[in-house]
Amino acid sequence: MIRRTLLTLVLTLATVAQAAPPSLPEIDRYRGLLHFLQVSETPQSMQPLFDAAESVQSAVMRIDDSGYAWLERVSDDDAVAIQAQLEGLRLHRGLDVYAELDTAVMHDLALQHGRPVDQAFFAGLKDAYNDQGLPVYLDLTNRASPCVRFDPPEVLIDQYAHWQTFAQAHPGAYGKFVGQWLSDIEDVMAQGTCTCTQEQAPVEAALHAFVAAFPKTLVRADIQARLQQLKNQPYEKPVWCR
């Protein structure tokens, strides 16, 4: 009887092991943190889950000697099973292979299980990306790389103001993301190029508006130099990126 029970257990475990989809340490960590968050009876910080999500995004895109990413190498059935375990992340396996954060789902998780700082962060994050999965100040046209939406300038200004205010209200919270987001916008303004139109005037208007809104910005001198260049030598560094 004991042998039969042991044999049944072994066979059951073997069946479960065969049925389980492939995984990665990063996926396992994300699943564990997600489960902890969902079963907790008190609000929890979601920053570890956010950081784990970024690790998953990198891990599933890791390329081996075959030249294919891990996400490309799993079967379609396994990909579906893995997706079911990753609430808050979306896996893409079409012409473009990647994993992205589902900002709407993460915001819902924050409202249900997170702290006020998490709710504020994911509310902002949900509004920070467009339907193309790009920052709202970028757009995809018929070119290979995204272009910058300098027109209207409020898109860039509102994003910078929001995350600057968040950083001041919640020092250190989601610091890597917030710092990078602000730095990216500063770089966009300092460069003043790759606009979504061929017109120079919207770029100049956006640069003036940004300096007026944030007179103490660290890239003020760079922006003013770019404005001077656009006035005196517009063809040296055109606003339109081909």
Side-chain angles (χ1 to χ4, degrees):
M1 183 65 178
I2 295 177
R3 289 183 179 178
R4 184 177 300 174
T5 303
L6 182 59
L7 178 59
T8 302
L9 177 61
V10 170
L11 291 175
T12 300
L13 291 174
T15 301
V16 171
Q18 291 175 358
S23 191
L24 293 166
E26 292 84 357
I27 289 177
D28 294 337
R29 173 170 171 75
Y30 181 86
R31 289 170 55 204
L33 289 168
L34 178 63
H35 177 72
F36 172 75
L37 182 72
Q38 292 171 325
V39 301
S40 176
E41 296 181 357
T42 57
Q44 298 294 326
S45 170
M46 287 184 60
Q47 186 153 354
L49 185 68
F50 179 74
D51 294 340
E54 291 189 321
S55 296
V56 171
Q57 289 175 292
S58 298
V60 299
M61 292 306 298
R62 196 173 296 135
I63 297 173
D64 70 356
D65 293 339
S66 70
Y68 291 94
W70 183 89
L71 187 55
E72 293 179 283
R73 303 195 301 271
V74 301
S75 69
D76 290 341
D77 289 342
D78 284 339
V80 171
I82 295 166
Q83 176 65 85
Q85 301 173 349
L86 297 178
E87 183 179 356
L89 281 168
R90 285 197 296 256
L91 305 180
H92 296 268
R93 282 163 48 86
L95 292 176
D96 295 319
V97 179
Y98 62 99
E100 68 172 331
L101 202 68
D102 191 325
T103 55
V105 170
M106 294 297 276
H107 182 228
D108 287 341
L109 286 170
L111 292 176
Q112 297 173 41
H113 307 289
R115 304 169 305 164
V117 61
D118 305 302
Q119 294 166 6
F121 175 75
F122 285 105
L125 193 69
K126 185 164 64 79
D127 295 334
Y129 289 93
N130 58 29
D131 293 339
Q132 299 170 324
L134 296 170
V136 289
Y137 58 84
L138 298 181
D139 198 8
L140 278 176
T141 57
N142 56 359
R143 294 182 294 179
S145 58
C147 58
V148 181
R149 295 175 56 200
F150 286 100
D151 188 20
E154 288 77 18
V155 176
L156 280 156
I157 290 173
D158 288 351
Q159 275 297 300
Y160 193 81
H162 173 82
W163 291 110
Q164 192 176 67
T165 300
F166 178 89
Q168 293 168 352
H170 309 285
Y174 298 91
K176 180 181 177 182
F177 172 88
V178 175
Q180 187 63 57
W181 196 268
L182 292 172
S183 177
D184 288 345
I185 293 178
E186 289 168 351
D187 186 60
V188 162
M189 302 309 295
Q191 295 298 321
T193 188
C194 290
T195 182
C196 291
T197 71
Q198 298 189 42
E199 301 299 323
Q200 181 171 308
V203 177
E204 294 177 312
L207 298 187
H208 281 297
F210 190 83
V211 170
F214 310 105
K216 295 182 180 180
T217 176
L218 296 177
V219 292
R220 180 188 178 99
D222 295 323
I223 292 174
Q224 290 175 329
R226 176 60 169 149
L227 282 167
Q228 193 65 36
Q229 183 189 59
L230 288 173
K231 179 181 178 180
N232 298 332
Q233 298 174 303
Y235 299 108
E236 180 177 323
K237 185 181 177 184
V239 298
W240 175 252
C241 292
R242 292 180 175 81

